[in-house]
Amino acid sequence: MGADNSTSAARYVNDFELIIRASKDLEHMFETTFGLPDIKDSGLHDKISAARVNDQPLPPDLVRRLRKIVTIRNKLVHDHDFNAIPDRATFIKEYDDAMAELRRLANVREPAVSACCMM
């Protein structure tokens, strides 16, 4: 037995955990890497709009993918009758690709995978 060292969102089995973890990762990325601190009443859609790379907005394709992720998150969290990510595999791919592009744009390395060793 051991921890899953994958950096992909696919490691989360439950859709609710997946969506919350993905949202937290995006919030953290925008707040720390893109200099958008957690401001009251500022959600992910606002941070996506405010994010800049070299004084330019994020690429339109990336913005579309991020907004789709956030919209699914909002529906899952707030809509009583929406209880699963409709296409989980596509969601995970879109999220992983979006995070990779955000890291690339911000010139940030992929998080290191730590190995656990029991002695």
Side-chain angles (χ1 to χ4, degrees):
M1 282 176 62
D4 181 356
N5 290 326
S6 171
T7 59
S8 170
R11 68 186 180 274
Y12 301 115
V13 178
N14 177 295
D15 283 359
F16 286 95
E17 181 179 16
L18 168 59
I19 208 85
I20 297 303
R21 297 282 184 166
S23 298
K24 288 173 71 169
D25 288 348
L26 286 170
E27 291 270 0
H28 182 74
M29 174 68 80
F30 283 122
E31 291 167 10
T32 59
T33 306
F34 289 91
L36 301 171
D38 189 11
I39 301 169
K40 187 177 181 180
D41 299 327
S42 180
L44 275 168
H45 281 297
D46 294 330
K47 289 177 181 165
I48 292 166
S49 296
R52 297 278 183 269
V53 176
N54 298 325
D55 293 324
Q56 296 294 315
L58 296 176
D61 183 55
L62 176 58
V63 169
R64 251 187 315 280
R65 283 186 283 144
L66 289 167
R67 291 202 187 284
K68 183 176 178 182
I69 291 165
V70 176
T71 299
I72 292 170
R73 178 250 178 231
N74 288 345
K75 288 176 81 174
L76 192 64
V77 171
H78 298 292
D79 185 340
H80 185 269
D81 296 324
F82 192 89
N83 294 304
I85 298 170
D87 183 347
R88 192 174 206 284
T90 298
F91 177 89
I92 290 168
K93 180 169 180 4
E94 290 288 323
Y95 169 77
D96 287 344
D97 290 350
M99 285 299 286
E101 187 168 352
L102 286 171
R103 284 187 193 95
R104 183 187 62 76
L105 289 170
N107 213 8
V108 174
R109 292 181 189 211
E110 183 75 20
V113 175
S114 63
C116 178
C117 180
M118 302 274 297
M119 297 203 153

